[in-house]
Amino acid sequence: MMKHFVYADNAATSQLSPGALEAMLPWLKEEYANASQPYTFSRKPKKAIADARETIADCIGASPEEIFFSSCGTESNNWVIQRALNNLQCKGIITSNIEHHAVLRACEAAEKYFGATVDYLQVQNDGAVNVDSLSATISQSHGLVSIMTANNEIGTIQPVCELAEISHGMGCLFHTDAVQAIGHIPVNVKDSGVDFLSASAHKFNGPKGIGFLFVKKGVFLPPLIYGGGQESGFRAGTENVASIVGMATALAENVSELENNILHISDLESSLLHQLDEAGVRYHRNGSKNHIPGNISLSFEGFEGEAILHRLDLLGIHISTGSACDSKETKISHVLQAIGLEPDLAKGTIRISLGKNNTQDDVQIIAKALKKVIAR
Ligand code: PLP
């Protein structure tokens, strides 16, 4: 079947993999039992959830008991930010000024409702957190540090291992929002030593409305959502069996193809930039050399990102301005402000995010369209 458009907004969401869809169907059709019931009809879904938990744990170097299913990345982030400090004396949180709103707004809520204090680390111009700035800020008053593994708007990857080590050195727990990283770059919780890690299936070719939280063995995190006894009593709500299975299948696929996907997407990325250069399109690239493959933030001086988005849309190309989750807000994104981008460049910023399903043809179409739009 011919594609009618080019989808290049994979950081906003990604296409469900056919394997994941296939794996989900039985749990939506004939095997619809509630996984927590004691009768035989529930045995298969119960086992499917246990298998999915094991698969996900294997993919990130965790144990199955350390994986808790949630409804999305936003919930996982809120769970940690709003609950990790509950049992601790110190109420200080350190985060960065380029986190996703699912962390930033949760921090604001923790300040407002739980008496937490929040310190924001200023990132460098490439979007990376300087480890020395964490060392200089952290004190006995802090209980939690939350720094994302990779940024959604510019793709910059953070030095998570070093940041976790510094946090532990001061007796703090360390959380990372790995929503943009899981399934796209190697992520191993044993190597990085993080205490909490948030993930969301729809960012790695799994279904929407399902995510997970890794909680390191021995670290206590009270529930955010109360009700039934699911997830060992830590996250209530009837299990979303089909989505849990779809998430595990998608993640296992991406992890097994990781090297090839990284090569393929990096190739597409170089090819796109090369074609823009060849066509004489002038742009400023945001972010760091150390970034999520395919996450390309480009600024065009004298243009409006919103206008570029709509022109490309008319040409059948779907990209984003800054963060898709922010698409209703027209103000300059907090990430572009944080990296010190001049307002004129920031206004003309788009994010193209390529995924494993994109092709060289897609990239050619995007480059040609951008040339046309920018020339106008
Ligand atoms: N964290 C980051 C870095 C994201 O990019 C997103 C979504 O864009 C989220 C959290 C929220 O994830 P979800 O859509 O699963 O709630």
Side-chain angles (χ1 to χ4, degrees):
M1 203 172 66
M2 273 279 288
K3 273 203 291 184
H4 299 294
F5 60 86
V6 173
Y7 184 76
D9 200 17
N10 290 276
T13 198
S14 55
Q15 188 178 18
L16 182 65
S17 94
L21 174 62
E22 184 99 352
M24 290 170 74
L25 289 177
W27 313 103
L28 294 167
K29 289 157 91 179
E30 55 280 353
E31 298 292 348
Y32 54 84
N34 183 322
S36 293
Q37 289 297 79
Y39 40 69
T40 50
F41 190 29
S42 294
R43 273 191 205 151
K44 281 192 187 167
K46 201 174 292 174
K47 173 150 188 336
I49 292 175
D51 291 347
R53 203 185 302 279
E54 203 169 317
T55 301
I56 289 170
D58 274 354
C59 287
I60 63 163
S63 306
E65 320 82 75
E66 297 174 311
I67 305 297
F68 295 85
F69 297 122
S70 69
S71 63
C72 58
T74 300
E75 182 189 326
S76 298
N77 284 342
N78 271 271
W79 189 354
V80 176
I81 305 285
Q82 313 237 18
R83 288 288 180 268
L85 298 179
N86 281 21
N87 285 18
L88 303 179
Q89 291 300 318
C90 16
K91 296 286 181 216
I93 301 174
I94 298 180
T95 188
S96 82
N97 58 355
I98 61 161
E99 299 296 311
H100 190 271
H101 282 137
V103 165
L104 294 177
R105 298 260 151 88
C107 284
E108 286 165 23
E111 262 185 318
K112 195 165 165 188
Y113 301 113
F114 309 123
T117 55
V118 185
D119 290 301
Y120 298 89
L121 300 180
Q122 165 69 52
V123 296
Q124 301 167 163
N125 288 349
D126 61 357
V129 170
N130 184 332
V131 290
D132 293 337
S133 76
L134 176 61
S135 304
T137 307
I138 199 163
S139 74
Q140 304 285 351
S141 69
H142 296 109
L144 177 70
V145 177
S146 177
I147 305 287
M148 67 204 319
T149 303
N151 183 265
N152 44 307
E153 288 192 42
I154 55 174
T156 300
I157 298 171
Q158 302 295 355
V160 166
C161 296
E162 290 95 319
L163 296 168
E165 201 178 323
I166 293 167
S167 306
H168 290 152
M170 196 48 88
C172 283
L173 294 167
F174 186 86
H175 166 245
T176 190
D177 170 353
V179 165
Q180 291 290 335
I182 293 266
H184 300 286
I185 54 170
V187 172
N188 186 299
V189 291
K190 270 212 191 79
D191 295 346
S192 64
V194 300
D195 300 293
F196 309 109
L197 174 146
S198 305
S200 177
H202 73 105
K203 306 289 188 180
F204 53 76
N205 306 95
K208 294 170 182 59
I210 189 78
F212 68 88
L213 178 68
F214 159 82
V215 181
K216 189 158 66 180
K217 208 180 284 173
V219 174
F220 179 68
L221 183 69
L224 179 69
I225 292 176
Y226 294 91
Q230 295 88 355
E231 297 298 289
S232 313
F234 282 93
R235 201 287 188 173
T238 302
E239 297 92 338
N240 186 346
V241 187
S243 295
I244 289 170
V245 171
M247 171 162 68
T249 309
L251 184 57
E253 268 177 19
N254 272 20
V255 167
S256 73
E257 302 163 350
L258 200 60
E259 239 172 85
N260 281 343
N261 287 347
I262 290 175
L263 282 175
H264 170 64
I265 298 168
S266 303
D267 216 32
L268 294 179
E269 183 180 316
S270 316
S271 177
L272 174 63
L273 296 177
H274 178 71
Q275 289 178 54
L276 291 180
D277 293 340
E278 290 271 287
V281 177
R282 290 187 56 199
Y283 59 85
H284 172 87
R285 171 98 193 249
N286 304 303
S288 156
K289 280 206 166 66
N290 186 21
H291 64 271
I292 294 293
N295 186 317
I296 309 166
S297 171
L298 301 178
S299 301
F300 300 93
E301 199 168 357
F303 285 83
E304 291 281 338
E306 197 84 9
I308 301 174
L309 179 149
H310 290 301
R311 295 243 173 86
L312 292 181
D313 191 23
L314 291 174
L315 296 168
I317 298 165
H318 305 312
I319 53 108
S320 164
T321 59
S323 164
C325 311
D326 279 351
S327 62
K328 285 203 184 87
E329 293 179 26
T330 48
K331 62 178 197 245
I332 293 171
S333 93
H334 65 289
V335 176
L336 300 180
Q337 282 182 39
I339 60 172
L341 197 63
E342 286 167 28
D344 206 36
L345 277 173
K347 266 189 246 156
T349 301
I350 60 167
R351 179 191 67 187
I352 298 166
S353 49
L354 303 169
K356 65 177 184 177
N357 295 335
N358 284 116
T359 63
Q360 287 289 352
D361 281 350
D362 291 344
V363 157
Q364 205 172 13
I365 292 168
I366 299 170
K368 269 194 184 153
L370 266 178
K371 185 182 169 197
K372 202 165 146 184
V373 168
I374 300 304
R376 277 174 63 167

